[in-house]
Amino acid sequence: MADEPLVLGIETSCDETGVGVVRGTTLLADVVASSVDDHARYGGVVPEIASRAHLEAMVPTIERALARAGVRATDLDGIAVTAGPGLAGALLVGVSAAKAYAYALDKPLYGVNHLASHICVDQLEHGRLPEPTMALLVSGGHSSLLLAPDITTDVRPLGATIDDAAGEAFDKVARVLGLGFPGGPAIDRRARDGDPGAIAFPRGLTGPRDAPFDFSFSGLKTAVARWVEAQRRAGVEVPVADVAASFQEAVTDVLTRKAVRACREQGVDHLMIGGGVAANTRLRAMAEERCAAAGITLRVPRPGLCTDNGAMVAALGAEMVARNRPASALDLPADSSLPVTEPLVPAGEPG
Ligand code: KG4
Ligand code: ZN
């Protein structure tokens, strides 16, 4: 629709320089320049390298996204940017660029929450989110169950990881197995040739007295490392595919079990899964099965929209414009620990 808001979104919270252009709930362009290869030899994201890569990629990525969308910067109704949470230096590059464009073009600026964006991106694939939406957010930095009565103003955490994020567990286990970085896609691939029932790895926080919607993956990670270590000490070849499949099964079992339970207890009949780990094929299949059995409609964006990108930021920005939310102040801060309960950094917040 030509009358829907046209918004540019900028994402630089980690190692992806993402710029997206969205009109309402329609995706027009999604360009991602990743510095992931620069981090691979360190086995994890190096913040300083990420910041420098963002700085180099920022303007060309914005220009490419505008060109691909076939729109001019002057046509935009707003500029959205990830204000947090994320790496402070990395966020700062995106926030500074967004401020410069917003100021130069005289457009409203929306400093939005990375986690709410991971949820809102699904609108580009499956249309408007139902209200409330139950969301399972699983990424390299976060694992949370969130109830969102209104994605632009009201996001409520029901539970979260008490130690490692799900993606972090994938990355660490991949390192133990020598599968490289990032670990999620590598484990996903290797697990296809493995037996998910080969090794009974622990399911954290699933006891009757445990917090029903919190997660813990550090015990699982340690269990995998110990198991692999024991094999190596005994001189036995490590069955990498079986370990990958069994580990992946333990993670996805806990995630889907808790998400379905949250929907049931809150009386919500939709589940959205977002964040980088939502690209996992086993998680998608298991969630599909369990949601169908529980009468829950599952919404998972395609893998490219689950990992960090600019379109998700533009999607949330467009929703802010559509609902007439007040724009952020031009001196909005990049907030590395922006709480999940704050989808939009409000106007007039001290810089
Ligand atoms: O959302 P994201 O791109 O960045 C953060 O905000 O953290 O998530 C990155 C995380 C990494 O830990 C990566 O290993 C994981 O998502 N990931 C996957 C898959 N693809 C990416 N984990 C499991 N299976 C995958 N296919
Ligand atoms: Zn993310």
Side-chain angles (χ1 to χ4, degrees), residues 267-287:
V268 177
D269 62 1
H270 278 79
L271 173 67
M272 185 275 158
I273 307 185
V277 181
N280 185 267
T281 45
R282 182 62 185 136
L283 177 60
R284 297 168 86 95
M286 196 187 279

PDB file of all heavy atoms in Angstrom, residues 267-287:
ATOM      1  N   GLY A 267      -3.001 -18.735  27.899  1.00  0.00           N
ATOM      2  CA  GLY A 267      -4.169 -18.747  27.016  1.00  0.00           C
ATOM      3  C   GLY A 267      -3.904 -18.085  25.677  1.00  0.00           C
ATOM      4  O   GLY A 267      -4.780 -17.438  25.110  1.00  0.00           O
ATOM      5  N   VAL A 268      -2.667 -18.241  25.157  1.00  0.00           N
ATOM      6  CA  VAL A 268      -2.306 -17.641  23.869  1.00  0.00           C
ATOM      7  C   VAL A 268      -2.233 -18.753  22.815  1.00  0.00           C
ATOM      8  O   VAL A 268      -1.634 -19.790  23.058  1.00  0.00           O
ATOM      9  CB  VAL A 268      -0.939 -16.914  23.968  1.00  0.00           C
ATOM     10  CG1 VAL A 268      -0.513 -16.361  22.628  1.00  0.00           C
ATOM     11  CG2 VAL A 268      -1.007 -15.802  25.002  1.00  0.00           C
ATOM     12  N   ASP A 269      -2.853 -18.544  21.667  1.00  0.00           N
ATOM     13  CA  ASP A 269      -2.890 -19.625  20.678  1.00  0.00           C
ATOM     14  C   ASP A 269      -1.935 -19.408  19.501  1.00  0.00           C
ATOM     15  O   ASP A 269      -2.053 -20.041  18.458  1.00  0.00           O
ATOM     16  CB  ASP A 269      -4.322 -19.852  20.174  1.00  0.00           C
ATOM     17  CG  ASP A 269      -4.875 -18.611  19.477  1.00  0.00           C
ATOM     18  OD1 ASP A 269      -4.145 -17.600  19.376  1.00  0.00           O
ATOM     19  OD2 ASP A 269      -6.038 -18.655  19.042  1.00  0.00           O
ATOM     20  N   HIS A 270      -0.985 -18.451  19.655  1.00  0.00           N
ATOM     21  CA  HIS A 270       0.032 -18.213  18.631  1.00  0.00           C
ATOM     22  C   HIS A 270       1.401 -18.232  19.270  1.00  0.00           C
ATOM     23  O   HIS A 270       1.584 -17.655  20.339  1.00  0.00           O
ATOM     24  CB  HIS A 270      -0.145 -16.828  17.997  1.00  0.00           C
ATOM     25  CG  HIS A 270      -1.180 -16.804  16.926  1.00  0.00           C
ATOM     26  ND1 HIS A 270      -2.520 -16.762  17.209  1.00  0.00           N
ATOM     27  CD2 HIS A 270      -1.073 -16.833  15.579  1.00  0.00           C
ATOM     28  CE1 HIS A 270      -3.194 -16.759  16.070  1.00  0.00           C
ATOM     29  NE2 HIS A 270      -2.348 -16.792  15.063  1.00  0.00           N
ATOM     30  N   LEU A 271       2.350 -18.849  18.607  1.00  0.00           N
ATOM     31  CA  LEU A 271       3.727 -18.785  19.096  1.00  0.00           C
ATOM     32  C   LEU A 271       4.621 -18.297  17.966  1.00  0.00           C
ATOM     33  O   LEU A 271       4.573 -18.817  16.853  1.00  0.00           O
ATOM     34  CB  LEU A 271       4.215 -20.157  19.569  1.00  0.00           C
ATOM     35  CG  LEU A 271       5.706 -20.233  19.943  1.00  0.00           C
ATOM     36  CD1 LEU A 271       6.003 -19.390  21.184  1.00  0.00           C
ATOM     37  CD2 LEU A 271       6.139 -21.683  20.180  1.00  0.00           C
ATOM     38  N   MET A 272       5.429 -17.266  18.282  1.00  0.00           N
ATOM     39  CA  MET A 272       6.395 -16.754  17.318  1.00  0.00           C
ATOM     40  C   MET A 272       7.780 -17.179  17.805  1.00  0.00           C
ATOM     41  O   MET A 272       8.055 -17.091  19.004  1.00  0.00           O
ATOM     42  CB  MET A 272       6.260 -15.227  17.310  1.00  0.00           C
ATOM     43  CG  MET A 272       7.082 -14.507  16.292  1.00  0.00           C
ATOM     44  SD  MET A 272       8.740 -14.212  16.876  1.00  0.00           S
ATOM     45  CE  MET A 272       9.551 -13.991  15.297  1.00  0.00           C
ATOM     46  N   ILE A 273       8.608 -17.669  16.921  1.00  0.00           N
ATOM     47  CA  ILE A 273       9.988 -17.975  17.323  1.00  0.00           C
ATOM     48  C   ILE A 273      10.925 -17.118  16.489  1.00  0.00           C
ATOM     49  O   ILE A 273      10.832 -17.077  15.262  1.00  0.00           O
ATOM     50  CB  ILE A 273      10.336 -19.477  17.150  1.00  0.00           C
ATOM     51  CG1 ILE A 273       9.300 -20.360  17.857  1.00  0.00           C
ATOM     52  CG2 ILE A 273      11.723 -19.755  17.732  1.00  0.00           C
ATOM     53  CD1 ILE A 273       9.624 -21.840  17.848  1.00  0.00           C
ATOM     54  N   GLY A 274      11.832 -16.407  17.157  1.00  0.00           N
ATOM     55  CA  GLY A 274      12.746 -15.522  16.447  1.00  0.00           C
ATOM     56  C   GLY A 274      14.143 -15.566  17.015  1.00  0.00           C
ATOM     57  O   GLY A 274      14.401 -16.243  18.019  1.00  0.00           O
ATOM     58  N   GLY A 275      15.057 -14.853  16.376  1.00  0.00           N
ATOM     59  CA  GLY A 275      16.466 -14.867  16.790  1.00  0.00           C
ATOM     60  C   GLY A 275      17.229 -15.895  15.973  1.00  0.00           C
ATOM     61  O   GLY A 275      16.629 -16.773  15.337  1.00  0.00           O
ATOM     62  N   GLY A 276      18.547 -15.777  15.979  1.00  0.00           N
ATOM     63  CA  GLY A 276      19.388 -16.620  15.130  1.00  0.00           C
ATOM     64  C   GLY A 276      19.151 -18.119  15.262  1.00  0.00           C
ATOM     65  O   GLY A 276      19.160 -18.846  14.263  1.00  0.00           O
ATOM     66  N   VAL A 277      18.897 -18.584  16.481  1.00  0.00           N
ATOM     67  CA  VAL A 277      18.715 -20.026  16.688  1.00  0.00           C
ATOM     68  C   VAL A 277      17.404 -20.523  16.068  1.00  0.00           C
ATOM     69  O   VAL A 277      17.248 -21.716  15.791  1.00  0.00           O
ATOM     70  CB  VAL A 277      18.809 -20.374  18.198  1.00  0.00           C
ATOM     71  CG1 VAL A 277      18.652 -21.862  18.436  1.00  0.00           C
ATOM     72  CG2 VAL A 277      20.146 -19.905  18.777  1.00  0.00           C
ATOM     73  N   ALA A 278      16.469 -19.608  15.810  1.00  0.00           N
ATOM     74  CA  ALA A 278      15.218 -19.992  15.153  1.00  0.00           C
ATOM     75  C   ALA A 278      15.475 -20.459  13.719  1.00  0.00           C
ATOM     76  O   ALA A 278      14.592 -21.023  13.077  1.00  0.00           O
ATOM     77  CB  ALA A 278      14.233 -18.838  15.157  1.00  0.00           C
ATOM     78  N   ALA A 279      16.691 -20.241  13.221  1.00  0.00           N
ATOM     79  CA  ALA A 279      17.056 -20.773  11.905  1.00  0.00           C
ATOM     80  C   ALA A 279      17.305 -22.277  11.982  1.00  0.00           C
ATOM     81  O   ALA A 279      17.391 -22.959  10.958  1.00  0.00           O
ATOM     82  CB  ALA A 279      18.310 -20.063  11.386  1.00  0.00           C
ATOM     83  N   ASN A 280      17.396 -22.820  13.180  1.00  0.00           N
ATOM     84  CA  ASN A 280      17.731 -24.239  13.354  1.00  0.00           C
ATOM     85  C   ASN A 280      16.627 -25.153  12.811  1.00  0.00           C
ATOM     86  O   ASN A 280      15.462 -25.047  13.210  1.00  0.00           O
ATOM     87  CB  ASN A 280      17.973 -24.517  14.846  1.00  0.00           C
ATOM     88  CG  ASN A 280      18.436 -25.936  15.090  1.00  0.00           C
ATOM     89  OD1 ASN A 280      17.639 -26.825  15.346  1.00  0.00           O
ATOM     90  ND2 ASN A 280      19.737 -26.152  14.976  1.00  0.00           N
ATOM     91  N   THR A 281      17.009 -26.087  11.960  1.00  0.00           N
ATOM     92  CA  THR A 281      15.998 -26.918  11.298  1.00  0.00           C
ATOM     93  C   THR A 281      15.272 -27.846  12.278  1.00  0.00           C
ATOM     94  O   THR A 281      14.071 -28.055  12.168  1.00  0.00           O
ATOM     95  CB  THR A 281      16.610 -27.760  10.158  1.00  0.00           C
ATOM     96  OG1 THR A 281      17.819 -28.338  10.619  1.00  0.00           O
ATOM     97  CG2 THR A 281      16.903 -26.923   8.954  1.00  0.00           C
ATOM     98  N   ARG A 282      15.998 -28.384  13.240  1.00  0.00           N
ATOM     99  CA  ARG A 282      15.357 -29.286  14.210  1.00  0.00           C
ATOM    100  C   ARG A 282      14.388 -28.518  15.113  1.00  0.00           C
ATOM    101  O   ARG A 282      13.305 -29.006  15.418  1.00  0.00           O
ATOM    102  CB  ARG A 282      16.424 -30.020  15.047  1.00  0.00           C
ATOM    103  CG  ARG A 282      15.872 -31.003  16.052  1.00  0.00           C
ATOM    104  CD  ARG A 282      15.090 -32.145  15.395  1.00  0.00           C
ATOM    105  NE  ARG A 282      14.463 -33.012  16.371  1.00  0.00           N
ATOM    106  CZ  ARG A 282      13.208 -33.468  16.284  1.00  0.00           C
ATOM    107  NH1 ARG A 282      12.451 -33.152  15.245  1.00  0.00           N
ATOM    108  NH2 ARG A 282      12.725 -34.262  17.209  1.00  0.00           N
ATOM    109  N   LEU A 283      14.791 -27.309  15.521  1.00  0.00           N
ATOM    110  CA  LEU A 283      13.911 -26.492  16.359  1.00  0.00           C
ATOM    111  C   LEU A 283      12.618 -26.188  15.609  1.00  0.00           C
ATOM    112  O   LEU A 283      11.522 -26.283  16.164  1.00  0.00           O
ATOM    113  CB  LEU A 283      14.605 -25.180  16.767  1.00  0.00           C
ATOM    114  CG  LEU A 283      13.748 -24.216  17.596  1.00  0.00           C
ATOM    115  CD1 LEU A 283      13.298 -24.834  18.908  1.00  0.00           C
ATOM    116  CD2 LEU A 283      14.495 -22.914  17.858  1.00  0.00           C
ATOM    117  N   ARG A 284      12.748 -25.876  14.343  1.00  0.00           N
ATOM    118  CA  ARG A 284      11.563 -25.543  13.548  1.00  0.00           C
ATOM    119  C   ARG A 284      10.642 -26.756  13.428  1.00  0.00           C
ATOM    120  O   ARG A 284       9.421 -26.647  13.581  1.00  0.00           O
ATOM    121  CB  ARG A 284      11.983 -25.044  12.158  1.00  0.00           C
ATOM    122  CG  ARG A 284      12.805 -23.750  12.218  1.00  0.00           C
ATOM    123  CD  ARG A 284      13.457 -23.419  10.889  1.00  0.00           C
ATOM    124  NE  ARG A 284      12.571 -22.680  10.013  1.00  0.00           N
ATOM    125  CZ  ARG A 284      12.554 -21.349   9.899  1.00  0.00           C
ATOM    126  NH1 ARG A 284      13.372 -20.619  10.611  1.00  0.00           N
ATOM    127  NH2 ARG A 284      11.731 -20.753   9.083  1.00  0.00           N
ATOM    128  N   ALA A 285      11.235 -27.933  13.170  1.00  0.00           N
ATOM    129  CA  ALA A 285      10.422 -29.141  12.990  1.00  0.00           C
ATOM    130  C   ALA A 285       9.745 -29.545  14.301  1.00  0.00           C
ATOM    131  O   ALA A 285       8.551 -29.868  14.330  1.00  0.00           O
ATOM    132  CB  ALA A 285      11.299 -30.282  12.470  1.00  0.00           C
ATOM    133  N   MET A 286      10.499 -29.500  15.408  1.00  0.00           N
ATOM    134  CA  MET A 286       9.931 -29.919  16.688  1.00  0.00           C
ATOM    135  C   MET A 286       8.839 -28.944  17.133  1.00  0.00           C
ATOM    136  O   MET A 286       7.799 -29.351  17.651  1.00  0.00           O
ATOM    137  CB  MET A 286      11.038 -29.988  17.744  1.00  0.00           C
ATOM    138  CG  MET A 286      10.624 -30.770  18.978  1.00  0.00           C
ATOM    139  SD  MET A 286      11.844 -30.666  20.290  1.00  0.00           S
ATOM    140  CE  MET A 286      13.033 -31.882  19.786  1.00  0.00           C
ATOM    141  N   ALA A 287       9.075 -27.645  16.917  1.00  0.00           N
ATOM    142  CA  ALA A 287       8.073 -26.641  17.297  1.00  0.00           C
ATOM    143  C   ALA A 287       6.799 -26.853  16.476  1.00  0.00           C
ATOM    144  O   ALA A 287       5.684 -26.771  17.006  1.00  0.00           O
ATOM    145  CB  ALA A 287       8.629 -25.235  17.086  1.00  0.00           C
TER     146      ALA A 287
END
